[in-house]
Amino acid sequence: MPIEKFSGSTVAERGGNVAEQEPEQETVGSMLAALKQELRENAQDAMADRVEKIEEKVAEIQKKTTTDELTGISNVRGFNEALAREIARFKAPEKSEERRGEAPRFPLTLLRIDLDFFKEINDKFDHLTGDMYLQEIVASVQSKARGMDTFARVGGDEFVILMPECDPAHASDIAERFRASVLAGSDTA
């Protein structure tokens, strides 16, 4: 449909008929403004969707870089990040009225776990069996850990548990529960 413009009016050919129409500037202007607004909103929505996808991907990559692939718990990097957070929290000034400006006083305990005879399991059986053994040990210990604890694999058969707000006596009790849980699991395996 060819359209031609002549001195302020629009002429359009419709089915062989030519009709003359005066342009409605307010309608055209408001339509153009509405179109621009819609384009802005669509662009903002598209950008927001893209940013959200990027943030999800970054979180996924972050998790992969801080998680032990075999066991699903923190790796050395994840442990170091958790330790840095706890140290920063320890150094942060207290906000309560009676201790304003002072560093908080709470215990931070580190429990180290080294699995005896793990090398012999890999040598006697195979590495797949050793991997399954590690996964069972991790599941057993993790089921007894507190939600605030950071459980990390820092070596082949070496693990640490960072336990904030846990005094030595309580940490000793928790360590004994972990040991008993691992022994109970190895008796049934």
Side-chain angles (χ1 to χ4, degrees):
M1 169 187 333
I3 298 177
E4 298 178 30
K5 182 171 181 157
F6 294 101
S7 62
S9 58
T10 303
V11 177
E13 181 182 325
R14 292 195 178 123
N17 299 328
V18 175
E20 187 172 326
Q21 300 173 340
E22 286 295 321
E24 298 177 22
Q25 291 299 328
E26 290 179 20
T27 304
V28 171
S30 63
M31 288 174 57
L32 187 56
L35 181 59
K36 285 181 182 178
Q37 181 62 30
E38 185 178 339
L39 288 172
R40 273 191 216 102
E41 290 171 2
N42 287 343
Q44 288 173 346
D45 289 346
M47 183 61 78
D49 288 345
R50 185 74 177 133
V51 167
E52 185 178 335
K53 287 178 184 175
I54 290 170
E55 288 172 344
E56 288 171 1
K57 193 66 167 171
V58 167
E60 179 184 328
I61 291 169
Q62 175 70 14
K63 182 165 176 57
K64 285 183 179 181
T65 63
T66 58
T67 303
D68 179 66
E69 189 175 356
L70 175 65
T71 61
I73 61 174
S74 293
N75 60 16
V76 173
R77 176 178 275 170
F79 168 75
N80 288 338
E81 288 179 6
L83 181 60
R85 279 191 306 272
E86 289 302 323
I87 290 171
R89 190 168 74 103
F90 181 79
K91 290 181 176 180
E94 187 68 42
K95 291 189 173 40
S96 66
E97 287 299 320
E98 66 274 5
R99 295 190 51 224
R100 185 171 301 284
E102 292 181 35
R105 295 188 180 105
F106 62 87
L108 178 62
T109 302
L110 179 68
L111 177 64
R112 182 177 172 273
I113 301 171
D114 189 358
L115 302 178
D116 293 333
F117 308 111
F118 179 68
K119 182 181 181 325
E120 287 79 6
I121 291 172
N122 275 340
D123 292 345
K124 184 175 179 181
F125 300 102
D126 57 31
H127 287 276
L128 180 59
T129 302
D131 289 350
M132 291 181 349
Y133 175 73
L134 284 178
Q135 290 167 338
E136 287 178 22
I137 297 294
V138 165
S140 177
V141 171
Q142 209 167 21
S143 71
K144 304 286 187 245
R146 303 172 311 157
M148 67 176 64
D149 298 339
T150 299
F151 186 20
R153 183 178 181 200
V154 294
D157 64 346
E158 297 170 0
F159 300 86
V160 292
I161 302 175
L162 185 62
M163 299 185 293
E165 301 178 26
C166 186
D167 61 50
H170 190 212
S172 182
D173 292 341
I174 293 172
E176 182 54 34
R177 278 190 306 196
F178 291 155
R179 190 188 70 75
S181 177
V182 168
L183 288 176
S186 66
D187 290 340
T188 60

